[in-house]
């Protein structure tokens, strides 16, 4: 079975704090892709990153970084020095050739207070 | 930039009404999707389409139908709206024949309330 778990329903931080959003996935496929999407209050989900199962290199993009660990089936997302504009719901998602569609986690609502 | 436009941001309907949710994308994408988003449940796939006049059931198709007469337009239809269909509905599109690596482009969503 394919599954994505985001155990953190809601996280609140104060601006400039670092915050990590957890994502744990389940799949028996050896080839798969992991995604993070951001949903700001406007409602539109925005693509942040895609990682394939053969690339375990961590990635950094500005204040955002992603830690992919196949050994623990996790693909965690860290925001460094958070800002109010980071307030959103963040979704982790998984797709494989067998599922042929994106499987989303339940999302983590991040609130960053000034 | 890809634009996925959903016709209404907020919609209020009565139980038993027929409801049409419209979605248009402007980047010639082959694939289009309808999701519903509910608190604690994340996004669940209702229907998707890989081509004009083609449709496939997602995970929760009951109570819904879809129409894709033109490549750029994908409509979600609630034949007889019920209160348990109160939800946020999100339309999405992607470029190529389905593959796990494709990212989705989403509309802003329609918050439907069925009274």
């Amino acid at each position: 079975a394919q599954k994505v778990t985001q155990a953190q329903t809601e996280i609140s931080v104060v601006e400039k704090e670092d915050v990590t959003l957890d994502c744990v996935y389940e799949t028996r496929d050896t080839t798969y892709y992991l995604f993070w999407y951001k949903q700001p209050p406007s409602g539109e989900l925005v693509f942040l990153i895609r990682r394939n199962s053969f690339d375990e290199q961590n990635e950094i993009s500005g204040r955002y970084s992603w830690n992919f660990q196949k050994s623990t089936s996790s693909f965690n997302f860290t925001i460094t020095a958070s800002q109010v504009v980071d307030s959103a719901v963040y979704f982790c998602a998984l797709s494989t050739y067998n599922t042929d569609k994106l499987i989303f986690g339940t999302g983590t609502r991040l609130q960053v207070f000034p | 930039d890809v634009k996925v436009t959903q016709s209404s941001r907020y919609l209020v309907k009565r139980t038993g009404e027929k409801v049409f949710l419209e979605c248009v994308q402007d980047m010639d994408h082959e694939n289009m999707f309808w999701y519903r988003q509910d608190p604690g449940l994340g996004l669940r796939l209702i229907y998707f389409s890989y081509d004009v006049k083609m449709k496939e059931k997602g995970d929760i198709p009951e109570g819904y139908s879809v129409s894709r007469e033109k490549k750029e337009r994908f409509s979600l239809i609630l034949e007889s709206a019920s209160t348990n269909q109160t939800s946020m509905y999100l339309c999405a599109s992607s470029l190529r024949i389905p593959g796990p690596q494709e990212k989705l482009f989403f509309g802003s969503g329609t918050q439907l309330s069925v009274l």
Side-chain angles (χ1 to χ4, degrees), chain A residues 42-91:
Chain A
S42 60
E44 177 182 336
L45 272 80
V46 176
F47 168 82
L48 293 178
I49 190 172
R50 170 181 54 214
R51 173 67 79 226
N52 74 57
S53 51
F54 299 108
D55 182 3
E56 282 192 78
Q57 261 195 322
N58 291 333
E59 178 145 346
I60 298 175
S61 176
R63 296 184 296 107
Y64 294 175
S65 61
W66 290 270
N67 182 4
F68 176 29
Q69 291 196 335
K70 288 176 78 169
S71 60
T72 55
S73 297
S74 65
F75 186 42
N76 296 337
F77 174 30
T78 297
I79 302 174
T80 304
S82 59
Q83 299 177 1
V84 172
V85 293
D86 296 326
S87 297
V89 181
Y90 291 87
F91 290 95

Side-chain angles (χ1 to χ4, degrees), chain A residues 9 31-33 35 37 39-47 50 89 91 94-97 99-107 109, chain B residues 2-4 9 33 35 37-38 40-45 48 50 58-59 88 90 98-109:
Chain A
T9 305
T31 302
Y32 53 88
Y33 288 78
F35 301 76
Y37 285 83
Q39 185 182 37
S42 60
E44 177 182 336
L45 272 80
V46 176
F47 168 82
R50 170 181 54 214
V89 181
F91 290 95
L94 163 74
S95 67
T96 76
Y97 282 100
T99 59
D100 202 26
K101 62 184 179 183
L102 268 181
I103 297 165
F104 285 89
T106 52
R109 179 177 299 277
Chain B
V2 175
K3 189 73 175 175
V4 179
R9 185 72 175 92
F33 307 82
Y35 289 87
Q37 179 181 3
D38 300 288
L41 297 177
L43 274 71
R44 294 179 292 166
L45 183 62
F48 56 103
Y50 296 145
D59 299 318
M88 170 71 85
L90 291 161
Q101 71 277 13
E102 285 303 310
K103 65 181 183 182
L104 300 185
F105 296 85
F106 283 85
S108 296

Side-chain angles (χ1 to χ4, degrees), chain B residues 13-52:
Chain B
K13 296 292 181 181
R14 296 263 179 218
T15 302
E17 278 192 72
K18 190 169 186 175
V19 182
F20 292 87
L21 302 184
E22 307 287 348
C23 175
V24 177
Q25 49 93 4
D26 66 358
M27 282 299 291
D28 205 33
H29 282 179
E30 286 86 0
N31 309 326
M32 296 189 76
F33 307 82
W34 275 106
Y35 289 87
R36 66 176 278 176
Q37 179 181 3
D38 300 288
L41 297 177
L43 274 71
R44 294 179 292 166
L45 183 62
I46 305 171
Y47 267 97
F48 56 103
S49 169
Y50 296 145
D51 202 352
V52 176

Side-chain angles (χ1 to χ4, degrees), chain B residues 61-74:
Chain B
E62 297 77 20
Y64 304 94
S65 62
V66 290
S67 171
R68 193 164 181 201
E69 296 295 320
K70 293 184 178 181
K71 190 175 186 179
E72 68 271 17
R73 187 180 296 271
F74 192 35

